[in-house]
Amino acid sequence: MSSTMGDGTRAVRAGLPEPQQYEPALPGPVFAAHFHLSGEPTGPYTYGRDANPTWTHLERAIGELEAPGESVETTVFASGMAAVSAVLLSQARSGDVIVLPDDGYQALPLVRAQLEAYGVEVRTAPTGGDAQLAALEGARLLWIETPTNPGLDVCDVRRLVEAAHAGGTLVAVDNTLATPLGQRPLELGADFSVASDTKGMTGHGDILLGHVACLDPELAAGVRRWRKVAGAIPGPMEAWLAHRSLATLELRIERQCANALALAETLTEHPEVTGLRYPGLPTDPSHQKAARQMRRFGSVVSFVLADRETAERFLSALRLAEDATSFGGVRSTAERRARWGGDAVPEGFIRFSVGAENPADLLADVERALAEAVDGS
């Protein structure tokens, strides 16, 4: 496809094979542990842990969204954490230095512990203020998460990439919250674009999936080799469902981002709401930085209510948002994030993932739930 095509056209057409008479536009999932293989194993499909035609279509589709017009190599995984682990563990060796954000996804400390057990030095710094710059000296890999989950801080990807590459450091960006329709890390200079496709990419809360995209074939080969060794492969049905879901990606993201901005604007008027963050708000501390590198600002809004009890009453009063621990889906979800521990957030911190409901209905539901939560205090 032309690199000038719009996001909607690209999402609908991404990864489709050349038309074949009497064949479906999107072939069904291929369920195969092995393939016919006589003679020398030189073909693309030899064994089900190595490659699968259904993965191939999905990987091409994601690559066309990650960096239109470029030759992108994408590897899909059984989950977002499998993709995260593949980059970090395929690149790090004993004695290397890895730089992580100290305000990133809650499972990153688990990976940190594994890296340190392998003799890797791990440094951490906050995302905000591009603070990771101070930890780059001698590092093998810089891991960026922007916007962060759940705090929604943003760093300057281009600035960090330039500084990292000047010192020979590779850069990986966790782009889960933004999706390629909101931000394209490879175009900003990153070596790896990583995402949990469980979230906004597939958008229906019914698939666990992740991916890693690279422009460098050698780096991509290392990631793909790690998938083969670890066996962290997606099921063909999950891959097919994910590809099918990409067709509605722009429609979903457009509605969800518009709803998220409307919710953030509404929450600015509520005196009981503090700590409101949404990069799309012109008043957000990260807005100017986000606007320079993001095309859409995501579907997640975070804010703080007075205390744990008020937050719990708010969540219980909601009718159009489920209390669940994920984000990016067409159905709104919200949770009191501190219930898990591990995130440096107040007890009343709410992570609200905005869905595709009618905005008037959703805003009315939130305002009613807030009123009930405050009145019950």
Side-chain angles (χ1 to χ4, degrees):
M1 286 188 289
S2 167
S3 60
T4 62
M5 285 185 176
D7 286 340
T9 303
R10 189 171 304 282
V12 168
R13 305 295 305 177
L16 297 181
E18 288 297 317
Q20 299 291 330
Q21 187 78 340
Y22 310 121
E23 293 294 324
L26 177 61
V30 174
F31 300 99
H34 60 266
F35 302 83
H36 289 295
L37 190 66
S38 58
E40 294 298 318
T42 57
Y45 305 111
T46 58
Y47 185 64
R49 191 180 71 256
D50 298 339
N52 177 288
T54 309
W55 304 350
T56 300
H57 294 314
L58 175 60
E59 289 170 345
R60 288 174 180 167
I62 293 173
E64 290 171 14
L65 298 175
E66 284 279 5
E70 300 287 346
S71 181
V72 180
E73 297 208 19
T74 304
T75 306
V76 291
F77 289 86
S79 69
M81 278 308 298
V84 169
S85 300
V87 173
L88 290 168
L89 297 176
S90 70
Q91 295 304 311
R93 303 289 183 272
S94 180
D96 283 347
V97 173
I98 301 291
V99 180
L100 300 179
D102 64 12
D103 52 353
Y105 179 51
Q106 188 187 54
L108 274 181
L110 301 177
V111 184
R112 174 181 182 171
Q114 192 62 61
L115 288 167
E116 290 175 335
Y118 291 155
V120 175
E121 178 187 344
V122 179
R123 302 172 187 161
T124 63
T127 298
D130 301 338
Q132 289 175 295
L133 286 169
L136 283 179
E137 185 176 356
R140 164 67 178 168
L141 176 71
L142 166 64
W143 186 273
I144 295 171
E145 185 177 313
T146 182
T148 57
N149 169 31
L152 302 182
D153 260 330
V154 172
C155 61
D156 186 330
V157 176
R158 290 186 185 91
R159 182 187 183 198
L160 286 166
V161 165
E162 182 178 350
H165 285 176
T169 301
L170 296 171
V171 180
V173 177
D174 185 334
N175 200 42
T176 299
L177 198 143
T179 81
L181 267 61
Q183 181 172 259
R184 292 176 178 155
L186 299 181
E187 293 184 351
L188 296 172
D191 301 287
F192 304 91
S193 179
V194 189
S196 169
D197 301 322
T198 307
K199 313 299 194 300
M201 283 286 277
T202 57
H204 291 80
D206 54 6
I207 303 170
L208 290 175
L209 205 75
H211 81 265
V212 178
C214 305
L215 294 176
D216 185 323
E218 186 175 345
L219 293 177
V223 170
R224 199 171 293 266
R225 188 181 309 112
W226 181 265
R227 181 181 66 180
K228 178 177 179 178
V229 171
I233 60 172
M237 190 65 189
E238 285 76 8
W240 184 85
L241 287 169
H243 196 170
R244 181 208 60 176
S245 297
L246 289 183
T248 61
L249 180 59
E250 190 208 32
L251 296 173
R252 292 185 279 107
I253 294 297
E254 280 287 308
R255 178 61 166 264
Q256 289 172 254
C257 290
N259 280 357
L261 179 59
L263 175 60
E265 290 171 340
T266 296
L267 292 173
T268 61
E269 303 299 322
H270 286 266
E272 63 272 16
V273 170
T274 61
L276 175 66
R277 296 300 304 269
Y278 181 65
L281 268 180
T283 55
D284 188 89
S286 293
H287 177 71
Q288 290 187 1
K289 191 174 291 185
R292 290 196 296 268
Q293 63 193 24
M294 298 183 74
R295 298 156 61 235
R296 297 174 177 88
F297 298 103
S299 62
V300 178
V301 177
S302 67
F303 55 96
V304 180
L305 297 178
D307 49 35
R308 172 176 180 165
E309 291 72 25
T310 305
E312 293 289 1
R313 285 194 300 270
F314 168 70
L315 293 170
S316 296
L318 290 169
R319 297 291 175 265
L320 296 181
E322 303 162 358
D323 194 341
T325 186
S326 193
F327 62 85
V330 291
R331 292 177 292 277
S332 291
T333 60
E335 71 169 336
R336 191 181 65 82
R337 191 64 186 167
R339 65 181 175 173
W340 297 101
D343 290 317
V345 296
E347 287 293 327
F349 182 96
I350 300 292
R351 183 183 69 182
F352 200 113
S353 172
V354 185
E357 296 88 359
N358 287 106
D361 296 333
L362 182 62
L363 296 180
D365 188 50
V366 170
E367 292 192 90
R368 179 193 50 76
L370 279 172
E372 291 184 17
V374 173
D375 289 345
S377 61

